[in-house]
């Protein structure tokens, strides 16, 4: 590693420490040429998990964007913040498992995952999210979705 003080490439590692639950290593180094001590960090560089949009564009998976959408659907519902955080983490884990080989997931697959989890947690939040995700434009679309949710509920109760 190049010394930031003199530019020499000769250094020795004085101390190494694992940081961030083993996800990175902090190394204290000493330049052999000038004696200057400096710190370097080492971490694994992963290919980012991507979301494929409807128009074919790809963008990195955004945990915060997912959380905001779910929080919006659960707004003014009696669901704890911890439950919301757990839900977001479950959905993220499921999404990563679904797209494991290609390291990507489509927005439609992600949306269906969110709907599935919200349906189990809170039916009102499910309808709220579905209305935005499925782009409801008429009252009939809302009513149909509610009837489908009720039909699924009665089917699962049998």
């Amino acid at each position: 590693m190049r010394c930031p003080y003199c530019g020499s490439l000769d250094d020795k590692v004085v101390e190494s420490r694992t940081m961030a639950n083993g996800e990175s290593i902090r190394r204290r180094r000493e330049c052999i040429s000038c004696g200057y001590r400096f710190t370097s960090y080492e971490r694994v560089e992963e290919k980012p998990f991507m979301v494929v949009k409807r128009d074919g564009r790809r963008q990195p998976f955004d945990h915060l964007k997912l959380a905001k959408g779910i929080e919006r659907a659960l707004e003014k519902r009696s669901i704890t913040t911890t439950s919301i955080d757990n839900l977001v983490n479950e959905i993220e884990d499921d999404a990563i498992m679904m797209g494991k080989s290609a390291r990507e997931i489509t927005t439609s697959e992600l949306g269906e995952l969110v709907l599935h989890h919200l349906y189990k947690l809170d039916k009102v939040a499910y309808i709220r999210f579905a209305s935005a995700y499925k782009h409801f434009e008429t009252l009939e679309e809302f009513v149909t979705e509610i009837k489908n949710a009720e039909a699924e509920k009665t089917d699962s109760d049998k």
Side-chain angles (χ1 to χ4, degrees):
M1 178 148 301
R2 184 177 306 277
C3 173
Y5 189 73
C6 73
S8 171
L9 291 173
D10 294 327
D11 69 75
K12 66 180 177 179
V13 175
V14 179
E15 175 191 13
S16 289
R17 272 196 198 160
T18 303
M19 307 286 289
N21 297 326
E23 293 181 15
S24 66
I25 298 173
R26 175 183 175 263
R27 298 193 193 279
R28 284 294 293 158
R29 297 176 178 269
E30 183 176 348
C31 177
I32 293 172
S33 298
C34 69
Y36 183 75
R37 287 187 170 211
F38 57 99
T39 304
S40 66
Y41 294 90
E42 185 178 313
R43 63 181 154 66
V44 173
E45 187 175 58
E46 291 185 25
K47 179 181 172 191
F49 188 68
M50 303 297 280
V51 176
V52 181
K53 307 295 261 180
R54 291 174 198 234
D55 64 4
R57 288 181 297 126
R58 285 173 169 69
Q59 66 183 47
F61 179 86
D62 188 347
H63 180 89
L64 292 175
K65 188 174 179 180
L66 175 64
K68 279 197 278 187
I70 291 170
E71 286 169 1
R72 198 171 302 121
L74 287 164
E75 197 170 50
K76 297 185 181 177
R77 302 298 296 160
S78 59
I79 308 295
T80 65
T81 304
T82 304
S83 295
I84 294 171
D85 291 342
N86 289 339
L87 178 71
V88 171
N89 289 333
E90 283 177 30
I91 293 168
E92 183 175 2
D93 290 346
D94 288 351
I96 289 170
M97 290 307 293
M98 280 180 74
K100 194 172 188 172
S101 61
R103 302 265 321 136
E104 64 184 28
I105 189 169
T106 64
T107 53
S108 60
E109 291 171 324
L110 185 58
E112 291 299 325
L113 264 177
V114 172
L115 286 172
H116 174 75
H117 283 274
L118 282 176
Y119 184 82
K120 291 189 298 186
L121 181 70
D122 186 283
K123 304 300 184 279
V124 172
Y126 166 83
I127 295 297
R128 287 177 176 174
F129 189 87
S131 70
Y133 171 68
K134 295 183 178 184
H135 306 290
F136 292 164
E137 293 182 15
T138 65
L139 181 60
E140 287 76 31
E141 290 174 299
F142 272 100
V143 172
T144 302
E145 191 66 35
I146 292 169
K147 285 180 181 174
N148 289 342
E150 287 175 347
E152 287 180 36
K153 183 181 181 286
T154 47
D155 288 345
S156 66
D157 289 344
K158 292 180 183 178

